[in-house]
Amino acid sequence: YHPDKQEAGVAAAQAEERARRFLEIHQAWKILGNEETKREYDLQQREDNLTKEWPLHEQIYLEDMSWNEDEQLYTLSCRCGGNYSVSKSESKDVSVVCCDTCSLVIEIL
């Protein structure tokens, strides 16, 4: 798909499609090649997948979760006996958290 690798005499529509595809691949490499942007991308993908596939147990405000100063972790007990946990550093980026024992999910408002 690289523009420098195109064959001569390719139809304009095909050349345009290849150029578009090259730009998509280039953008993906920029995101996935940087540790911080890859982490943000992975979190967003995980959140999107969780909200589509897993049952939402409840919506809760972060300040309603218990705070553990030593572990720098917000937690909430699940009805199954497990816990929902989110670290302080993740709390700004994550809005969906899954239970560590069952398939229930909470949304952090």
Side-chain angles (χ1 to χ4, degrees):
Y1 295 109
H2 195 282
D4 293 343
K5 302 287 183 176
Q6 298 299 316
E7 299 169 3
V10 173
Q14 189 177 16
E16 186 177 318
E17 174 62 25
R18 288 179 178 179
R20 184 190 61 75
R21 183 71 177 139
F22 172 76
L23 291 175
E24 288 175 352
I25 293 168
H26 178 71
Q27 183 64 28
W29 274 108
K30 283 175 55 178
I31 291 169
L32 299 176
N34 177 298
E35 194 63 37
E36 185 175 324
T37 56
K38 181 184 183 315
R39 184 178 70 79
E40 290 172 17
Y41 175 83
D42 289 343
L43 286 172
Q44 183 62 46
Q45 289 297 313
R46 181 171 184 255
E47 181 177 317
D48 290 348
N49 289 337
L50 287 175
T51 57
K52 290 177 189 171
E53 298 172 8
W54 293 24
L56 185 62
H57 175 58
E58 72 179 299
Q59 295 177 316
I60 190 160
Y61 290 99
L62 188 63
E63 52 269 11
D64 292 334
M65 296 178 78
S66 298
W67 171 247
N68 183 318
E69 186 68 38
D70 294 334
E71 295 181 21
Q72 296 287 297
L73 195 67
Y74 292 97
T75 59
L76 179 73
S77 295
C78 180
R79 67 181 184 199
C80 75
N83 285 304
Y84 301 101
S85 302
V86 62
S87 69
K88 186 173 185 173
S89 62
E90 292 176 328
S91 65
K92 296 176 185 102
D93 300 324
V94 174
S95 65
V96 177
V97 179
C98 102
C99 176
D100 61 4
T101 306
C102 72
S103 62
L104 293 177
V105 174
I106 59 169
E107 180 179 17
I108 299 175
L109 304 173

